[in-house]
């Protein structure tokens, strides 16, 4: 509200509309994204969002080096917030599926207690993230402008994206290694059964 008032002369009502647009992006995209994840690998959406979401944050301010491409305006702010809502779905929805997948790769089977624990931790991460984001943005606003703070968060998120990419690559390697081990065990079991049958 402070940014919209200072930048555009808009008060709390417009700030509420901005939050509404961001939420609407999540609501409208969620069903279609769920269907797409049934058709394609959820890791693909996770990696795409890991790079597009931080870049979109750079346009939120927008950052000073982007002022030649886009100028701050109410329309610009609403469009960027809509994109962020869409990209947040791409980041959050696959996360739970990937957490289940990693557990199954590591432990082969997932008991109901493990699934409940993972789900509860996933749900708890949202209010925790909202709290951490609100506190950090409040601290940054004391020293930086809105454009500077969104640029700082965007750059940090880009760095985090490379960590997430490396993490997904490591999981892919682990899945391939596990699959190879299972195939070798299956082959060894078949050979052993053939030897037993031959000896009989």
């Amino acid at each position: 509200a402070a940014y919209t008032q200072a930048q555009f002369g808009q008060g709390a009502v417009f700030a509420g509309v901005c939050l509404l647009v961001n939420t609407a992006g999540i609501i409208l995209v969620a069903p279609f994204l769920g269907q797409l994840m049934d058709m394609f690998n959820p890791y693909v959406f996770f990696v795409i969002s890991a790079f597009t979401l931080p870049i979109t944050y750079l346009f939120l301010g927008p950052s000073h080096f982007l002022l030649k491409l886009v100028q701050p305006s109410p329309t610009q702010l609403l469009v960027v917030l809509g994109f962020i809502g869409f990209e947040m779905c791409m980041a959050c929805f696959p996360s739970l599926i990937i957490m289940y997948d990693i557990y199954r790769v590591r432990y082969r089977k997932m008991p109901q207690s493990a699934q409940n624990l993972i789900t509860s931790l996933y749900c708890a991460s949202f209010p925790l993230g909202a709290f951490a984001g609100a506190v950090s943005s409040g601290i940054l606003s004391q020293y930086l402008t809105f454009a500077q703070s969104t640029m700082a968060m965007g750059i940090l998120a880009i760095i985090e994206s490379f960590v997430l990419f490396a993490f997904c690559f490591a999981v892919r390697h682990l899945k391939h290694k596990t699959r190879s081990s299972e195939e070798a065990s299956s082959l060894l079991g078949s050979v052993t059964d053939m030897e037993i049958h031959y000896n009989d």
Side-chain angles (χ1 to χ4, degrees):
Y3 169 72
T4 57
Q5 179 66 47
Q7 185 71 35
F8 312 121
Q10 302 284 349
V13 174
F14 180 74
V17 172
C18 291
L19 294 176
L20 179 63
V21 169
N22 181 249
T23 306
I26 299 174
I27 294 174
L28 293 175
V29 170
F32 302 103
L33 187 60
Q35 187 174 9
L36 286 174
M37 283 192 297
D38 289 336
M39 301 169 57
F40 302 101
N41 194 326
Y43 285 89
V44 173
F45 296 94
F46 188 69
V47 171
I48 291 174
S49 67
F51 285 97
T52 57
L53 186 58
I55 293 174
T56 306
Y57 265 105
L58 296 178
F59 285 89
L60 185 60
S63 300
H64 296 296
F65 62 88
L66 295 174
L67 289 177
K68 292 183 178 180
L69 299 176
V70 59
Q71 292 294 322
S73 69
T75 302
Q76 167 264 335
L77 183 62
L78 291 173
V79 170
V80 172
L81 286 172
F83 272 104
I84 289 176
F86 166 71
E87 291 161 349
M88 283 180 66
C89 288
M90 293 180 63
C92 297
F93 287 11
S95 300
L96 184 59
I97 300 174
I98 291 173
M99 291 168 72
Y100 290 156
D101 187 46
I102 293 172
Y103 188 94
R104 291 190 182 99
V105 171
R106 181 66 179 83
Y107 299 105
R108 306 294 177 87
K109 295 183 179 180
M110 177 182 290
Q112 187 63 47
S113 59
Q115 184 174 349
N116 294 341
L117 177 61
I118 292 173
T119 304
S120 62
L121 291 174
Y122 173 80
C123 294
S125 67
F126 286 93
L128 179 62
F131 172 77
V135 171
S136 60
S137 61
I139 295 174
L140 287 175
S141 65
Q142 301 296 318
Y143 306 98
L144 303 174
T145 64
F146 183 76
Q148 290 172 337
S149 60
T150 54
M151 181 178 69
M153 297 301 291
I155 292 174
L156 289 174
I158 290 174
I159 296 173
E160 180 187 12
S161 298
F162 287 100
V163 177
L164 291 174
F165 181 78
F167 171 76
C168 289
F169 182 81
V171 172
R172 180 178 179 273
H173 176 72
L174 179 61
K175 291 178 69 174
H176 179 74
K177 184 178 179 180
T178 303
R179 189 179 300 113
S180 300
S181 177
E182 290 176 350
E183 291 175 354
S185 299
S186 177
L187 179 61
L188 180 61
S190 299
V191 172
T192 303
D193 291 340
M194 290 176 62
E195 290 179 348
I196 293 174
H197 179 73
Y198 178 78
N199 291 333
D200 290 343

